[in-house]
Amino acid sequence: TLHQAERKLGLDSHLVNIEHEVDWDKYADVDIHVPHTSFPVAIRKKLKKPPKLVFLSHGTPEHIFNLSIQEGKQGYGHADSLMFWIHQMQTADAICTFWPRHQAIMQQMCDKHTKVNLLPLGINKEFWAAGQTKGRYVGKPSVLSCENGHLIKWPLDLFTMWPWIYEQIPEA
């Protein structure tokens, strides 16, 4: 969606999945790279100039901390989410996030010369246009939980309390 919005603004933006075969000659002199996570060394070698990297931190800080412990891969590098996050904040040409809360947490982790930029998210009004519900998820209220089931965002409370909610609001 970011790529599509950039194109609508007239930017020469490209979305490239490096997991697939890519003709890097087409992107060899791109001005700015915004990798999802890391920027592989093999790709760096194919570029005509050193890349300007934007670290777009989209994970909840608590989730990053939690994964670092939960995964049990303490050490250095990409396998340790906290170490990777800190490394990106130290080495990226620009650091960005979408949420003021994440910006505040990240900013206090940086030195005083590093700026964490806030990029407020827009809303794709074409996609989220008014309309009728399409399917069995009708309810008053209609409740849908689409969160990843991690300890910091655990849906268990919603599941266990749902029978009592339904008892009080049977049309939900």
Side-chain angles (χ1 to χ4, degrees):
T1 56
L2 289 174
H3 161 68
Q4 292 167 350
E6 289 170 347
R7 298 290 294 205
K8 284 184 179 181
L9 291 171
L11 297 173
D12 185 17
S13 176
H14 302 272
L15 180 62
V16 179
N17 183 347
I18 64 171
E19 299 296 321
H20 294 92
E21 188 87 15
V22 176
D23 177 8
W24 284 105
D25 290 336
K26 284 173 54 177
Y27 310 107
D29 58 353
V30 168
D31 294 318
I32 301 169
H33 297 268
V34 185
H36 179 262
T37 46
S38 65
F39 197 77
V41 172
I43 294 171
R44 283 179 195 260
K45 292 178 180 177
K46 296 177 182 186
L47 302 177
K48 291 181 181 173
K49 58 188 174 189
K52 292 284 187 190
L53 294 176
V54 175
F55 174 48
L56 184 54
S57 181
H58 59 283
T60 306
E62 293 88 345
H63 179 61
I64 294 165
F65 291 128
N66 190 55
L67 273 182
S68 187
I69 304 302
Q70 184 179 330
E71 296 283 314
K73 297 177 182 171
Q74 275 78 48
Y76 179 77
H78 196 188
D80 185 323
S81 58
L82 179 58
M83 290 300 295
F84 178 74
W85 196 51
I86 291 169
H87 173 76
Q88 293 290 64
M89 286 195 286
Q90 292 174 347
T91 60
D93 295 293
I95 305 167
C96 303
T97 186
F98 299 122
W99 300 276
R101 182 180 163 279
H102 296 191
Q103 179 191 32
I105 293 169
M106 292 168 69
Q107 191 64 66
Q108 70 181 352
M109 296 176 70
C110 294
D111 65 65
K112 64 183 179 180
H113 302 291
T114 301
K115 178 173 175 35
V116 177
N117 300 282
L118 180 64
L119 305 175
L121 287 169
I123 297 173
N124 181 345
K125 292 181 180 178
E126 292 172 24
F127 180 81
W128 295 106
Q132 296 297 315
T133 182
K134 298 175 183 163
R136 60 190 175 132
Y137 301 109
V138 177
K140 295 182 182 165
S142 178
V143 179
L144 176 65
S145 175
C146 294
E147 190 53 78
N148 295 324
H150 296 288
L151 294 177
I152 64 151
K153 311 178 215 180
W154 199 236
L156 181 61
D157 298 330
L158 176 63
F159 298 149
T160 57
M161 67 187 233
W162 191 254
W164 290 285
I165 293 172
Y166 186 71
E167 206 173 82
Q168 297 294 314
I169 312 171
E171 59 276 0

